[in-house]
Structures are given as structure tokens and as C-alpha cells.
Amino acid sequence: CLYSVSIQCVYIVSAASVSPAAQYLHVELSVRIAVMCLICLSASMSGDTGVLHVLETQSDLDWILSSGPHPPYMVIMETAFFNRCCVCVCCVCVCLCVCLVLCLSSSYYNEYYCNPLYSVTFVSLPPSEVLCDPLSDFNVWTSTRPLNSSAKGHAANESVVIAAARLDGRSFFWEQAPAAEGTVSGIITLLAAIQALYPVTQEAPPPRNIFFTFFQGEAFDYIGSSKMVYDMEKNDFVIDLKNVHSILEIGQVGLHSGRSLWMHSDPVSRKNDSVNEAVSEMMNRMESAAAGLSVSVGHPSFSQPLPPSSLQRFLRAGPIPGLVLADHQKSFSNRYYESMYDDAENLNVTYPPGLTPDEQLVYETDAAKSLAEVATLVARSLYLQAGGENNSLSNITADPKTLFSYFWVSGPASVNSTGEPFCVRASVRLSEAVSPAFELLEYGSRNYSTWTESRWKSIRARIFLVASRELEMLTLGVGVAVLLLSLLVTYFISSKAELLFSSARDTPTTAY
């Protein structure tokens, strides 16, 4: 659990509600507004304290590095200054202990910054017993025909076509990874494809089962897919690798650079004649499924390797026919890949002016229509790949309106509106997504992910006024002078005590 730079997230709010008298004491910062990223350059187990300074221009940074009189500093910088050059300079500077990268507008820190010399203390102490845990979560999977989850290993007389997408995204900022193009476009496409396939697979079920899965932890060296493949190899899953007929993975399909999608394949596994033939058939079926749609499909050159994808984990276990569907031919067209700016705006989700939030929920955007076309292509391709008939393809169409029907909820409302929960029977299941390295106790593994996450208590920050260096030196000087004067007076009184106090002791008692 070693990191060269410790990254944590904290929150800060303005002090508008703090009384003037309380501003001179420690003020706890509430966790409400303005998410910030905290980079501990010289992290301390007992917390870090520094003078708050806002970085607005390059000269501000030069002043801190060269002549700032109040080190160490906690620098607040907006994202415009968050670049490689600036961060590298901050990391080697001994007068900086923490950088705070503000993700929102600077109005939140104006209340503090307009006053002189505020200091901030950040405390985040991990428990002493365990310092970190493996990154883990759950994969989500289902199938067109239910699988016996109580039985593990090879499923007799079962051949499955796996349709996969990743569930997670990441960026530098904690909990600020929207991953609209990188992840959400694939999730929405596969969900819409599942809904479009359901009626047809019930009326005219194909010979092969279609296995839908959403992998968790793929942004951290394919945690979810690694675990599923590992369980299949160990006969600890509902199917094994011998049950897998082929794989179709949905990658970045936001259609940034036009209306073309690309079918990426693995040139190494295609050196196997049977795999090459199966991959070629998959491509032909997808091209056939694209007929009549507004999107076109193509394939890169035979020698071009796969882009980053979960399919690679399956291929490491053996030669399996598979394709990765994406909207780029060679390099990514998504310039905000794994960035906090990969949001709805990056997917060109726009609304006409004047729409209320409720009206926006039902409005069919161009992005929704594009993803519905891609979902239709995916659903038809999966149906053909599973052995379905061509004459049923016209009944497989994704509706753009259904793209807005998916919500994460804490629980369903009852039909009679009494607030009573009820049970829903479904074939959707979860499987653990944690790297096999931690099960094998191979913490230096080169085959599996070893990402961990530090444990910490709730991150606390408090702000308080501090004196300037000049005032501190003046106070020290006055204190030293008073001390010396006190010593001098004490010495003088002690040395002259006989003279000063003798008259009182020698006065004779008056007799009557």
C-alpha cells in the first residue's frame, strides 16, 4: 500500500454563517459544497497545517516558492493551474505541505481569503490495525435463459454468447468520474439491447443462450473480468470457459467522430484458423444486422491490436472468438477519457432552451437516438450470433425513450402505494469482483490487479486565524524584553533586600 502522492477528497464551504468572534477560534468545515482534491505533499499521521494561500496567477506561485514569509503553505488552485508543470514544482517545494485543487468556482473561498492569514488543518488518520483494503465490488449478470446458480462449473448442453460492458470509470478527482463516453454509453447501449431482445427471445428463442454481464473494476486493471475468468477456470461459476461460444464487448460507442462503428479483434488469437473463421463470421453477422440502420460498421486492419478491453482477460485464458465494438478506428476519439470532463456535455446531450427538468427527462436528444441505433445493432447482432433467424430482426428495435427508464433506487414502491415493499423475481445476479491476487495472497502478482484503497476516518478540516510573521516576532521580542526586565528587577530587589526591607524589621516595639 505504497503511494508517492496521497490523494484524498475534502470539502470546503464559505464562512458566511460564522460569527466574527468565532472566526478567531477553530471553525470546523462542513462537508457540503465545492468538492476539492487534496494532495498531501508531506503527509503527517497527525494531520497537516499550513497557511491558506490562493493561487490565481503564476506570480503567486513564484512568490510562494521564493519569498513567501509564512511557510508551510496550503495552496488553493483552480483547475486551470492544475497541470504537470505546476504540480511537479509543488511536489519538490519544501514550503508546501498540501495543494487543494478546487473543482468549482472560487466564490466558495472568497469569504476566507478576503481576510489575512487563515490556516487550515486537515486530519485523516487511518485505523492502526488495517491500512488498506483490496478494491472490490460486484459484477452484474443475467441471461436470456436462466442458469442454475447453485451448480458450479461446466453447464451441460449450454453454449453462451457473452455480451459485456464495463460498469466503472475513474478520474483524478474522487467521486468525480462521470465517464459518460468511456463507460455510460456502453452501459446504456447494452441495457437498451437487453430490453429490445427480450420479446423476441421469448417468442423465438435462439439455440444459444445470451449471457449479459457488466464488469466492475475494469478501470483498475480489469478486476471484474479477471475474477470471472478466474472463477470459470476454477469451476466456481455457473458456467466455465468451455461454455463460452463467443464474446461481444461494448466499448466507447458515443459516436464522436461520425456515424461509424469499428469491430476490433485480436490478431494473435486469429492466427488460430478456427478462431479466425468464427471472428469473420461475427463481423459478417454484424454487417448484416447494420442493414437499414443509420450507423455503419467497419473493421481495422488485421494486424491492429485490441484496444483496452475486458476481452483481453478472456483471451489470456484461451483463444475465444470475440469483438470489441467502439466508435474509433485507431486512437480514441474521446479526448476526455478517464477525466472529470467526460460528462453529458461530452456526449453532446443538449436540450432546447426553456425545458423544465421534467420535460428534459422525456425529451429525445440526438445522443439518445444515436445510442438507440447502436443498441439496435448490438441486439440484432447478438440474436444472429446466438443462432436466431434473420426474419425476426425487424422485430428487434431499441426505443430511445427507454434509455431514460433506468434508475438506481433503494427499493421498489408497492403497487397499491401503501409503502409496503414487495419481492421481484428476476434472473439478474451478482458475482464478486475482487482481484484473484488477494485470494492467492500474491501481492506482487504480475497477472492480476493489486489495487488497494486506503482506510481512513472521515476527513476533517478546520480553519483559524494566525498572526503574521512580523507580529509573531514583535510578540516574541516584547516577551523576551519583559522577561529580561523581570530578571533584572528581581536581581536588583534580591541584591538590595537588606536595605529595602531592613527598616521594617529593625523598628523597635513601642512600650507603654
Side-chain angles (χ1 to χ4, degrees):
C1 195
L2 298 177
Y3 300 93
S4 59
V5 177
S6 173
I7 301 173
Q8 302 168 329
C9 284
V10 298
Y11 298 79
I12 189 170
V13 297
S14 102
S17 60
V18 180
S19 65
Q23 290 182 0
Y24 292 90
L25 305 176
H26 289 92
V27 179
E28 296 290 337
L29 300 181
S30 65
V31 183
R32 278 200 303 152
I33 316 177
V35 65
M36 303 172 71
C37 184
L38 170 64
I39 310 173
C40 296
L41 305 178
S42 57
S44 169
M45 291 292 290
S46 59
D48 298 280
T49 302
V51 175
L52 198 62
H53 190 86
V54 179
L55 181 62
E56 295 180 318
T57 63
Q58 182 63 36
S59 59
D60 293 336
L61 180 59
D62 297 337
W63 180 82
I64 293 173
L65 300 179
S66 58
S67 58
H70 310 111
Y73 288 97
M74 287 193 176
V75 172
I76 291 182
M77 64 173 72
E78 295 190 22
T79 52
F81 284 93
F82 188 64
N83 53 60
R84 182 182 181 87
C85 179
C86 185
V87 172
C88 288
V89 170
C90 292
C91 286
V92 299
C93 179
V94 296
C95 63
L96 291 177
C97 62
V98 169
C99 283
L100 303 171
V101 184
L102 190 65
C103 301
L104 301 179
S105 74
S106 60
S107 60
Y108 296 107
Y109 58 73
N110 284 340
E111 181 69 25
Y112 281 133
Y113 185 55
C114 65
N115 295 301
L117 292 183
Y118 274 96
S119 283
V120 180
T121 298
F122 285 97
V123 181
S124 176
L125 296 179
S128 58
E129 299 83 5
V130 181
L131 296 180
C132 52
D133 294 306
L135 285 183
S136 62
D137 209 300
F138 291 93
N139 299 325
V140 183
W141 63 268
T142 186
S143 56
T144 53
R145 291 197 300 269
L147 294 169
N148 184 5
S149 61
S150 61
K152 306 295 183 182
H154 183 74
N157 303 319
E158 195 73 70
S159 177
V160 301
V161 177
I162 295 180
R166 58 187 288 183
L167 265 180
D168 64 315
R170 70 174 178 181
S171 76
F172 186 85
F173 295 91
W174 178 259
E175 293 185 347
Q176 293 293 309
E181 160 73 358
T183 300
V184 177
S185 63
I187 296 175
I188 292 176
T189 297
L190 191 53
L191 287 174
I194 294 173
Q195 187 167 21
L197 275 171
Y198 177 77
V200 179
T201 54
Q202 300 303 306
E203 296 175 2
R208 301 185 187 92
N209 202 349
I210 305 178
F211 183 93
F212 305 98
T213 180
F214 298 87
F215 292 122
Q216 188 69 268
E218 297 304 278
F220 296 90
D221 295 334
Y222 312 111
I223 294 176
S225 55
S226 297
K227 177 60 174 174
M228 184 173 288
V229 172
Y230 176 80
D231 289 343
M232 288 182 179
E233 291 178 321
K234 300 299 181 181
N235 292 324
D236 197 26
F237 197 65
V238 294
I239 58 174
D240 63 7
L241 292 172
K242 293 181 181 179
N243 291 121
V244 179
H245 174 268
S246 53
I247 300 174
L248 176 61
E249 181 176 351
I250 315 303
Q252 302 180 69
V253 290
L255 295 176
H256 264 288
S257 55
R259 308 292 297 177
S260 298
L261 294 171
W262 299 90
M263 301 174 290
H264 297 267
S265 60
D266 176 48
V268 178
S269 61
R270 291 186 68 179
K271 293 179 180 179
N272 183 305
D273 292 338
S274 60
V275 173
N276 182 49
E277 181 180 356
V279 170
S280 298
E281 291 177 355
M282 286 186 69
M283 290 182 175
N284 293 335
R285 292 189 183 103
M286 184 162 286
E287 290 173 350
S288 175
L293 299 177
S294 61
V295 294
S296 61
V297 292
H299 55 83
S301 63
F302 183 88
S303 59
Q304 181 175 314
L306 275 175
S309 57
S310 306
L311 175 58
Q312 295 182 359
R313 298 302 309 187
F314 285 86
L315 293 175
R316 292 182 66 172
I320 300 176
L323 294 176
V324 177
L325 187 65
D327 62 1
H328 55 86
Q329 182 178 5
K330 293 183 179 179
S331 59
F332 286 176
S333 58
N334 179 17
R335 61 176 180 166
Y336 295 128
Y337 181 71
E338 294 191 350
S339 164
M340 61 178 289
Y341 297 111
D342 186 10
D343 51 16
E345 183 179 352
N346 190 40
L347 268 181
N348 297 321
V349 178
T350 57
Y351 302 95
L355 291 183
T356 65
D358 291 338
E359 292 172 340
Q360 290 179 358
L361 287 176
V362 297
Y363 179 78
E364 295 182 17
T365 64
D366 293 337
K369 295 176 182 178
S370 297
L371 290 178
E373 286 283 294
V374 179
T376 300
L377 169 65
V378 170
R380 293 179 179 180
S381 300
L382 290 172
Y383 187 74
L384 292 177
Q385 186 66 15
E389 299 295 334
N390 282 296
N391 53 15
S392 299
L393 293 185
S394 59
N395 298 326
I396 303 175
T397 303
D399 185 356
K401 294 182 180 180
T402 65
L403 301 183
F404 299 95
S405 301
Y406 305 102
F407 300 96
W408 292 108
V409 294
S410 58
S414 65
V415 177
N416 56 12
S417 300
T418 62
E420 298 290 335
F422 62 94
C423 180
V424 177
R425 180 181 178 181
S427 59
V428 178
R429 298 186 181 274
L430 302 177
S431 65
E432 191 176 19
V434 61
S435 174
F438 299 101
E439 181 176 331
L440 299 171
L441 302 180
E442 296 178 356
Y443 303 118
S445 174
R446 294 181 178 273
N447 297 319
Y448 298 109
S449 165
T450 54
W451 283 92
T452 61
E453 182 178 14
S454 298
R455 286 188 179 184
W456 59 76
K457 298 178 182 178
S458 58
I459 300 173
R460 296 180 291 108
R462 57 183 185 176
I463 193 169
F464 54 93
L465 273 174
V466 294
S468 66
R469 179 58 59 87
E470 293 78 8
L471 181 57
E472 289 177 342
M473 297 306 297
L474 177 61
T475 304
L476 177 62
V478 172
V480 171
V482 171
L483 175 62
L484 294 176
L485 181 60
S486 300
L487 293 175
L488 182 61
V489 171
T490 302
Y491 173 78
F492 176 77
I493 294 176
S494 299
S495 61
K496 303 296 183 180
E498 293 291 335
L499 181 61
L500 293 174
F501 304 109
S502 60
S503 59
R505 293 199 303 268
D506 297 342
T507 303
T509 304
T510 303
Y512 294 94

